Amino acid sequence: MKLYMEAKELISDNIRDYGMYIALIVIFITFSILTDGLFMSSRNLSNLLDSAGYIAVLAVGVMLVIVIRHIDLSIGFLAGFLGAIAAILLMQVGLSVYLVIPIILILGIIAGLATGFLVAKVGIPAFVATLAGWLIYRGALLLVTERTGTIIVQDDKFNAIGNGFIPSLMQVNGLHVLTLLVGALGILFYIYGAVSNRRNKMKYSFDVVSKQLFLLQLVFVSAIIAYITWILAGYNGFSWTVIVMLIVLLVYHFFTTKTVLGRHIYAVGSNPEAAHLSGINVSKITFLVFGSMGMLSALSGILFTARLQSATTTAGTLFELDAIAAAYVGGVSAAGGVGKVTGAIIGAVVMASLTNGMNLMGVGIAPQYIIRGSVLALAVIFDVTTRKRGK
Amino acid sequence: MSEYILEMHQITKEFTGVKALSNVNFKVEKGEIHCLIGENGAGKSTLMKVLSGVYPYGKYKGDIVFNGSIQQFNKINDSVDAGIAIIYQELALFPDLAVYENIFIGNEVENRGVLDWNQTIIESQKMLDKVNLKVNPETLIKDLGVGKQQLIEIAKALSKEVKLLILDEPTAALNEDDSENLLRLLRELKSQGITCIMISHKLKEVISIADKATVLRDGETICTLDASKGEINESIIIKNMVGREINAIYPKRENKIFGDKILELTNWCAYDAQLGRQVSKDVNLHVKQGEIIGLAGLMGSGRTELALSIFGNPKSYKLQGDLKLHGKSRQFKHTSEAMKAGIAYVTEDRKGDGLFLIQDIKSNISVANMKGISSNGIINVNEEIIVGEKYRKSMGIKASSLEQVVGNLSGGNQQKVSLGKWLFVNPNLLILDEPTRGIDVGAKFEIYTVMNKLISDGMSIIMISSELGEILGMSDRVYVMAKSEIKGVLTSEEASQEKIMQLATQ
């Protein structure tokens, strides 16, 4: 009983952090019931995560842009344009995939730094600078694809990024062994992190939850990771897209929470004047964040092109708005200084789940837009009202 | 016995953790000029904000009786409708609009929903006549001096048929002529039956103009003095304001030893291209090791600008002249370079550009010196906690834990976090800009004690302050600024309130 009270208090105190996870679980359960379990089938879950991938990486980037109080509208068509360049380099120039990927990522970084230059050095509002980028990259995409139309990519290694799965090593009872291993590693990693974090906090007599509740948390999160791994292992295992997403998650989570530069990003976001007076180079941070945004746009373009196995003339349309919506669902604050990498990824998965679930149910495209818009509004209303309560 | 136009009963206002006002009683008679005095942070502005509806009804305890009935102001417009006008220290005029537009903003003269500019100009001329201001109503506000702008604020209040006019330090930024002019106007308004509450730090003004004066201290009413009984004179006011001897406020420093010159400015000029004016003119100044330099002057005299031009020039002024640090000429391109050279600047506006209010105490303390808690760019969380804990103890920051969000701390504790942050940078020249603004007497004493400790550890301090008591109580030498220039330098023996004010109002 005491444990229940503590759990209740913990959740209500941290409702902003947990709200998203609770929403995701509610969405999953609702769709599972409405589709007679089809939603949680191995095949569908795998498909869902793959379809979230190219938006999720954009959402991580744009989350950081919003944290430093800017916005980037150009990322959708930048992704589309760089995806087309990748297709051209592969099919028309004939470069190897191992060369194309770094080239595209570097091009993305350069494009991002150019935006950063306009915003940080010239002082153009990010909205206008990136609106210009939106037009320019859209035009550039049409320019490179207008002669050939859709460019079909026939490179198996490249296409695997969007459609392929990690090798299985061996099959045991139809289960994907490497996926199980990765999942198990993930659980161990999580438990190790949580335990050492708790030990540290206790060392400095910070507030920690009771031992029982802590164990319950560990079991709960581990069970969820194990369950998802188990479901995916029953189909083809982890896809390369999921692996890319996990790598982005880990790298950016570490970068934002454990490095000096990451801390500086949040400082600039929460008070740019104070950051400047604290010796932080605000324009350097702006360059960094837009550079990372450009790189993630390139990554998104690679994921999307590989998934479609082709570069189309309209690739990237509205990606920027989907990514911004995902970031807001994930709890980023428009006032700056607040936002989490995990939040952005979960936000992207939430939005992808809605699309996927409603498609399974055969909901028309018109109500889908309305429902997704309402969920976005609800998420931000929830965020604003819980923030007002203090904490 | 005339009647009260305003009675405030048992007003209590709390901010998270701090009582800004506790059971304050304040009564103003119809047609008088009533001064509200007290040290910075005594609660004067808070009381006026309660009265004007900035803090809506229900956010404070107690009753406001205005014109005989209990008022429940939910927003500023409610108090305006009741006939209360408040003019703040920072003028609320629109620099790019004309005088007549400013006077009637929010109270536009209209004819069936369409603005009637001709009528507006005619009406505004009448208001300008009332305040004896001879300017063309079509002049832009930015082309007028501060003194005239102040009068336009009053004209704006008069256009709303004000019964009670509140002025928050109206003469703080004015020169002597303009101040005299303003006081004359207030007397004239009084003869027309307008009641006036004036917040002021300038005792001479208070003595010359007040019918009554109420003294606040640490959020409580201390007394109300009556001029007709001869109670309004300097010694009585100061005794009530301070409530203790000056020695008890400023801790003594033993064995003063001054070393070499740490900082020396020669013919230092700074030009603000955005404002299009000189913010520092031919400044010559030096600081020795172990010295506390007081930088006195009125609001807007260029003290903060001078400090910023030394501290890496974050506002990108055009600089001229020579800055020597430890005898070597230096130029800083960024605040980080000034920090590396051993300069730290604790800002005047800790909420605006000092602290990261949404972040916790430990990240606020570590932010200016991340190198100290990281290796190869990766943060050592344990080290950060140890550092935070060290400064929490040495500064005496009162908080539930290091993970408490700084925005929820009281002003004094926030200031200690600010100080802690800069001490962690380990500077040898610390510039403190209004280090005790808006914090209570107890926390002030603690901050002064920390300053003395730092000096005895070999640091030097430049302290910018508008509180003369603080300047006199803490400084070894005092530079007085006015109109972006150094008007004089006084040793601690020479310095007195009168001498400083005389230089500051030149």
Side-chain angles (χ1 to χ4, degrees), chain B residues 76-242:
Chain B
I76 299 171
N77 277 352
D78 293 349
S79 69
V80 172
D81 291 343
I84 298 175
I86 180 159
I87 296 170
Y88 293 101
Q89 242 165 320
E90 295 86 17
L91 301 178
L93 296 170
F94 300 87
D96 290 310
L97 294 184
V99 167
Y100 67 94
E101 291 175 286
N102 269 285
I103 291 180
F104 283 96
I105 202 132
N107 185 26
E108 285 80 1
V109 183
E110 51 187 1
N111 190 356
R112 296 198 193 99
V114 180
L115 292 176
D116 186 342
W117 287 124
N118 291 332
Q119 194 59 32
T120 308
I121 293 174
I122 294 169
E123 290 295 322
S124 62
Q125 187 62 56
K126 286 184 197 159
M127 296 304 147
L128 291 175
D129 290 343
K130 277 194 189 175
V131 298
N132 301 328
L133 184 60
K134 286 175 189 60
V135 297
N136 185 338
E138 289 174 71
T139 322
L140 296 187
I141 291 293
K142 63 180 176 191
D143 297 331
L144 297 175
V146 197
K148 287 182 177 163
Q149 292 187 6
Q150 186 74 261
L151 294 178
I152 285 172
E153 276 279 13
I154 295 176
K156 184 172 151 189
L158 294 179
S159 77
K160 294 173 192 163
E161 300 188 3
V162 62
K163 297 190 187 85
L164 176 63
L165 184 64
I166 303 165
L167 299 132
D168 190 353
E169 300 210 37
T171 60
L174 302 190
N175 61 31
E176 236 155 84
D177 276 354
D178 284 342
S179 302
E180 262 313 304
N181 204 0
L182 184 82
L183 296 184
R184 208 176 308 130
L185 175 67
L186 291 185
R187 287 197 194 95
E188 215 173 292
L189 293 175
K190 177 183 154 188
S191 69
Q192 294 167 20
I194 294 174
T195 315
C196 183
I197 298 174
M198 185 169 100
I199 297 178
S200 181
H201 276 307
K202 297 187 181 168
L203 298 187
K204 275 186 194 146
E205 264 172 35
V206 172
I207 293 162
S208 87
I209 200 169
D211 299 312
K212 296 255 177 57
T214 295
V215 180
L216 289 186
R217 186 171 75 223
D218 301 336
E220 291 175 36
T221 321
I222 300 303
C223 62
T224 296
L225 306 169
D226 191 336
S228 61
K229 293 179 191 156
E231 290 169 340
I232 302 191
N233 67 50
E234 199 159 327
S235 66
I236 296 185
I237 295 176
I238 289 182
K239 199 183 83 199
N240 285 302
M241 254 172 81
V242 178

Side-chain angles (χ1 to χ4, degrees), chain B residues 268-433:
Chain B
W268 186 251
C269 296
Y271 179 78
D272 188 332
Q274 267 176 351
L275 292 178
R277 67 186 184 90
Q278 201 78 25
V279 290
S280 293
K281 274 185 229 157
D282 283 320
V283 169
N284 290 294
L285 167 155
H286 71 266
V287 185
K288 287 185 193 149
Q289 197 214 343
E291 250 187 336
I292 297 183
I293 294 293
L295 200 51
L298 298 178
M299 218 173 62
S301 58
R303 297 167 302 170
T304 299
E305 288 81 355
L306 177 61
L308 288 176
S309 73
I310 299 169
F311 182 63
N313 196 15
K315 303 261 187 215
S316 307
Y317 302 135
K318 282 188 190 119
L319 300 179
Q320 263 180 359
D322 186 39
L323 182 157
K324 276 201 179 75
L325 205 65
H326 299 285
K328 267 187 226 143
S329 285
R330 298 292 299 264
Q331 278 179 331
F332 304 123
K333 287 201 190 66
H334 193 267
T335 49
S336 57
E337 291 180 17
M339 284 163 59
K340 248 180 230 151
I343 305 178
Y345 169 71
V346 183
T347 164
E348 148 186 45
D349 179 7
R350 57 180 168 265
K351 286 190 177 176
D353 55 21
L355 293 167
F356 303 91
L357 295 177
I358 54 173
Q359 297 189 353
D360 62 12
I361 297 175
K362 62 178 163 52
S363 12
N364 267 285
I365 288 177
S366 61
V367 67
N369 185 11
M370 294 298 277
K371 278 222 173 80
I373 56 153
S374 62
S375 55
N376 302 322
I378 293 166
I379 296 170
N380 181 340
V381 184
N382 293 349
E383 195 59 35
E384 182 172 36
I385 293 169
I386 291 167
V387 166
E389 201 54 54
K390 178 181 154 198
Y391 287 99
R392 177 156 82 130
K393 284 213 184 85
S394 66
M395 293 287 123
I397 299 165
K398 292 177 196 78
S400 56
S401 95
L402 279 179
E403 289 190 320
Q404 193 172 344
V405 172
V406 166
N408 296 339
L409 297 177
S410 72
N413 281 313
Q414 286 182 348
Q415 187 66 350
K416 290 179 198 165
V417 173
S418 257
L419 258 179
K421 159 183 160 183
W422 285 108
L423 295 188
F424 181 47
V425 177
N426 202 13
N428 33 50
L429 175 63
L430 183 64
I431 307 175
L432 300 171
D433 198 345

Side-chain angles (χ1 to χ4, degrees), chain A residues 26 45 78 195 247 328 347:
Chain A
V26 169
L45 198 62
L78 178 59
V195 169
I247 291 172
Y328 276 107

